[in-house]
Amino acid sequence: EIIENEINGLLINNPEDISEIKLQIKKALEAKGKNASVRVVDVYTSEHEKISSPEFIQSVSNPVTQQVNTELKDFDWALEIGFLPGVTDNIGHTAQEIMQLIGADNDNQCFSSRLYLIKGDVERTDIEELSGDIANSLIQRIQIKDAAAFQKDGGMGITIPKVTLDNKGAAADDVNLDVSDEELLAIGRDGIENKDGTRRGPLGLSLLYLNAIKDYFEKKEGRAPKDIEVETIAQTWSEHCKHTIFASPIDDIKDGIYKHYIKRATQDIRAAKGDKDICVSVFSDNAGGIIFDENWLITDKVETHNSPSALDPFGGSITGIVGVNRDCVGFGQGAKPVINRYGYCLADPRTTPEYYRDAKKTISVLSPKTIMKGLVQGVEVGGNCSGIPTPQGFAYFDDRFVGKPLVFVGTIGLIPREINGKPGHEKAAKAGDKIVMVGGRVGRDGIHGATFSSVALDEGSPATAVQIGDPITQKKFSDAIVKEVRDFGWYNGITDNGAGGLASSVGEMAEQSGGFHLELEKVPLKYPGMAPWEIWISESQERMTMAVPPENTDKLIEHFAKRGVEATVIGTYTDTGRAHITWEGETIMDLEMDFLHDGNPETPLKTTFTRGGEAEPELA
């Protein structure tokens, strides 16, 4: 099939702007007593013939510093690194758009990879060790050939990292919660069991939470829950979305640390300021809103992206920074991101501690240097591709961060105090408004990303918990919203798709209207075969959800299309008090909104204190 599809490859010799990675390779080999030279080649692969057209070649190559190759010689080893199927490939996505502009069909994908040609007295084991330093096996594929095999095979061979899924099951499976506590704990820890005995990934649900879900469906709904319902509740009640530890009673603090110290302190200060209070939106939207002057509000949002950044530092931090950019765009009627910020708590990058994610010590944590470089690069790329400067931040070093770094990302935005005659920070989905998804398509990226925040890092940490943000797609819809659509007054509400995906964004906005009905088969997908529960909780990035009056949907979708942005009507906001989802006309989720958002039981916490030594610590 591959040959019949006439898959083509394009090889472009890279300029010296990638000299850093060449230097890294040379140093790694020199440390082993090996001297070698390195050439770097960008590879583009597609099933469409347009990849070999002069227009495409001219668009992706720089004739001053690069040359296009049909034949590669004079090397001893070839190392190719590309993305695994389903991992966001921003360079490939941009190349795909170029192919479409010069006449390729919309669904003909393009994939990027990088080829390292190494010449010198090195062995295969040297290249294998090297690949572990410059690639992340969680999201990337690695292929090695010596020169003889390369020439014999006519290259590295063609790899098309398409996702192929075989969705054989029903639209939604029943989940039996009438089981032993041991089995309930397994469901919470490892996920719902598939028919073949495998598990779907961590739900992060405690026994207390699972029993609450079981009781609700037995007593209120009179049936077993569907898989999509359990998955929805898990992400809605997750640490990421609910901050359950902060919110829980602790010792004699009955209302929890968050309400007692953080929320109450803010409310007391605002009350004391009276007419001089500068806050207009606190604890209620995607970001906070602060008065700047008589015409403008400042929005401010910071969040953490720790666990994903421990697995893939670049992907974790770029997803974090573009995520808070979207929070800014999703504030009120839509704010413009103007400043990015960061904060990194890291282990010393000059050290090489040996720590592992599994008991058998086969899955090592990433080195502190790898984590630091990836974090910095991710935040920089996210900001630069979005046209947002990153003028401030901090870095703090302590060896206790070797297992999991703390990664803070923040965005400051600007929004007019008044838009179309009403306060810029006010919005609300209304019953009858259409649910419109704007931006990128949905894939398996980030499934269980929200619930992942509630569990420990180990060998079972899911690869799908890692997403890679696409700032170019996001920049297009961000500009279209903030510079144009917002002022047309075509929508009543807007929020971003981050943790929990549609389950979170639609669920949150539906609190304003009082319910929703979503037709899940209408959601645009990156590839066919995804199960309904996967579509619903996927955290594929670069998406916003809007509440749009029916009379405005056509012109909204048409305007976004002119800006190269896809928008689709996928359902309706209601006032039924129910969270209702259908799949090809069949109801697969139907539960009370109140239980979804407020049904999680309190988890009282107790603290213990152990006095330490009297000696002061020695700090370098």
Side-chain angles (χ1 to χ4, degrees):
E1 289 181 355
I2 289 177
I3 296 170
E4 288 174 1
N5 282 331
E6 294 185 27
I7 295 174
N8 298 278
L10 176 66
L11 307 173
I12 301 178
N13 267 5
N14 228 313
E16 288 304 305
D17 62 356
I18 40 79
S19 56
E20 183 179 346
I21 198 162
K22 291 170 68 172
L23 187 61
Q24 180 185 351
I25 292 172
K26 286 178 67 67
K27 283 186 174 181
L29 293 174
E30 286 171 0
K32 298 167 68 70
K34 307 293 178 73
N35 188 27
S37 61
V38 185
R39 287 148 56 203
V40 183
V41 181
D42 285 336
V43 181
Y44 297 87
T45 309
S46 175
E47 293 174 307
H48 201 280
E49 61 185 12
K50 286 292 183 182
I51 196 169
S52 57
S53 68
E55 299 97 326
F56 180 81
I57 295 171
Q58 186 177 12
S59 298
V60 297
S61 61
N62 185 338
V64 176
T65 58
Q66 296 175 305
Q67 64 183 45
V68 180
N69 281 297
T70 55
E71 191 176 7
L72 296 172
K73 296 180 178 179
D74 195 27
F75 63 91
D76 296 310
W77 290 96
L79 166 64
E80 185 179 19
I81 297 173
F83 289 112
L84 292 171
V87 178
T88 300
D89 179 356
N90 287 328
I91 294 174
H93 181 68
T94 301
Q96 177 183 341
E97 289 190 328
I98 292 171
M99 285 172 53
Q100 292 167 8
L101 288 171
I102 58 176
D105 299 332
N106 188 48
D107 290 329
N108 277 281
Q109 294 176 286
C110 188
F111 304 94
S112 72
S113 58
R114 183 158 275 178
L115 184 64
Y116 301 93
L117 303 177
I118 301 168
K119 184 177 178 61
D121 183 23
V122 293
E123 307 293 332
R124 174 175 284 272
T125 53
D126 300 324
I127 306 299
E128 289 171 347
E129 289 181 19
L130 177 67
S131 67
D133 293 333
I134 61 176
N136 183 345
S137 59
L138 187 71
I139 61 170
Q140 290 174 312
R141 61 178 177 85
I142 299 167
Q143 188 179 10
I144 300 170
K145 284 188 179 182
D146 60 27
F150 186 96
Q151 301 301 338
K152 177 185 176 183
D153 300 339
M156 299 300 287
I158 297 296
T159 300
I160 297 287
K162 280 188 174 181
V163 175
T164 303
L165 303 175
D166 185 9
N167 184 18
K168 297 178 181 177
D173 297 324
D174 288 335
V175 179
N176 181 17
L177 297 182
D178 190 16
V179 294
S180 66
D181 285 354
E182 183 180 359
E183 175 58 21
L184 284 176
L185 287 170
I187 292 172
R189 182 183 63 247
D190 302 320
I192 297 167
E193 188 173 9
N194 293 311
K195 289 182 174 64
D196 62 1
T198 60
R199 300 275 183 172
R200 297 183 182 179
L203 293 174
L205 291 170
S206 66
L207 191 60
L208 181 68
Y209 280 17
L210 284 160
N211 278 318
I213 298 169
K214 174 184 174 182
D215 290 344
Y216 168 79
F217 279 97
E218 282 182 355
K219 297 173 182 178
K220 282 289 188 76
E221 303 297 337
R223 59 178 175 85
K226 299 287 188 182
D227 55 3
I228 190 171
E229 293 173 315
V230 176
E231 294 280 1
T232 301
I233 294 167
Q235 71 83 20
T236 305
W237 294 2
S238 70
E239 188 63 39
H240 186 102
C241 296
K242 282 286 186 188
H243 298 295
T244 50
I245 293 173
F246 261 171
S248 295
I250 181 168
D251 295 338
D252 58 349
I253 306 170
K254 301 306 179 188
D255 53 352
I257 292 173
Y258 169 66
K259 286 183 179 178
H260 192 79
Y261 289 112
I262 301 172
K263 196 168 185 177
R264 182 174 60 85
T266 305
Q267 291 168 339
D268 289 350
I269 293 169
R270 292 186 68 189
K273 281 187 168 290
D275 293 340
K276 294 183 179 180
D277 177 22
I278 62 171
C279 299
V280 297
S281 179
V282 183
F283 304 129
S284 61
D285 207 336
N286 292 315
I290 307 161
I291 295 171
F292 180 64
D293 61 18
E294 64 273 14
N295 297 317
W296 297 91
L297 299 178
I298 287 174
T299 68
D300 196 1
K301 172 63 181 286
V302 178
E303 73 176 34
T304 58
H305 233 242
N306 309 330
S307 297
S309 299
L311 297 176
D312 174 30
F314 176 84
S317 66
I318 192 174
T319 301
I321 198 66
V322 298
V324 287
N325 292 164
R326 283 197 312 278
D327 283 323
C328 185
V329 177
F331 171 89
Q333 296 177 50
K336 175 181 173 60
V338 293
I339 292 174
N340 283 340
R341 293 178 292 164
Y342 65 87
Y344 309 133
C345 295
L346 307 164
D348 189 337
R350 298 167 296 184
T351 61
T352 55
E354 291 188 17
Y355 286 94
Y356 300 86
R357 296 214 314 266
D358 64 324
K360 295 180 180 179
K361 297 185 179 181
T362 58
I363 306 173
S364 61
V365 300
L366 298 176
S367 72
K369 182 177 182 181
T370 297
I371 288 177
M372 184 181 75
K373 291 180 69 175
L375 295 182
V376 173
Q377 185 187 15
V379 169
E380 284 182 351
V381 169
N384 290 341
C385 290
S386 305
I388 306 169
T390 310
Q392 57 186 178
F394 72 86
Y396 176 78
F397 296 91
D398 188 299
D399 287 338
R400 288 171 292 182
F401 291 114
V402 67
K404 178 156 68 172
L406 299 187
V407 182
F408 299 90
V409 285
T411 298
I412 294 173
L414 281 177
I415 184 172
R417 293 184 65 174
E418 185 176 295
I419 299 171
N420 295 322
K422 66 178 183 179
H425 66 278
E426 292 184 359
K427 63 181 178 185
K430 299 178 181 178
D433 284 349
K434 293 299 179 181
I435 304 171
V436 178
M437 191 184 88
V438 177
R441 293 190 166 200
V442 174
R444 276 183 159 178
D445 325 46
I447 288 177
H448 293 137
T451 59
F452 183 43
S453 66
S454 303
V455 299
L457 272 172
D458 59 22
E459 72 271 23
S461 298
T464 55
V466 178
Q467 315 99 290
I468 299 178
D470 178 2
I472 301 298
T473 295
Q474 185 160 306
K475 172 67 171 170
K476 289 191 291 187
F477 74 61
S478 173
D479 281 354
I481 291 169
V482 175
K483 296 181 179 180
E484 299 173 322
V485 179
R486 180 188 70 188
D487 297 329
F488 296 157
W490 287 346
Y491 56 86
N492 291 322
I494 183 173
T495 195
D496 81 303
N497 279 249
L502 287 169
S504 179
S505 65
V506 175
E508 288 174 8
M509 291 180 71
E511 285 189 278
Q512 302 158 6
S513 70
F516 69 88
H517 171 214
L518 193 115
E519 300 167 82
L520 201 56
E521 73 278 0
K522 293 184 177 180
V523 176
L525 304 180
K526 292 181 179 179
Y527 32 78
M530 289 182 66
W533 70 270
E534 294 176 314
I535 299 169
W536 179 233
I537 69 166
S538 165
E539 297 178 16
S540 293
Q541 299 291 291
E542 294 68 60
R543 293 182 292 148
M544 305 294 290
T545 297
M546 289 179 159
V548 183
E551 64 270 19
N552 294 337
T553 56
D554 288 346
K555 55 188 175 185
L556 179 85
I557 292 169
E558 183 180 351
H559 188 85
F560 274 126
K562 291 178 181 177
R563 300 292 177 257
V565 177
E566 187 172 19
T568 310
V569 176
I570 59 174
T572 307
Y573 290 104
T574 68
D575 56 6
T576 62
R578 307 284 292 185
H580 182 209
I581 297 178
T582 54
W583 175 261
E584 302 289 358
E586 176 188 347
T587 293
I588 58 173
M589 182 168 108
D590 190 5
L591 69 155
E592 294 176 353
M593 290 285 297
D594 288 345
F595 178 73
L596 178 62
H597 288 288
D598 300 311
N600 55 309
E602 287 186 338
T603 309
L605 304 174
K606 296 291 181 184
T607 63
T608 58
F609 174 66
T610 304
R611 182 171 293 281
E614 300 300 324
E616 288 294 317
E618 291 184 16
L619 299 177

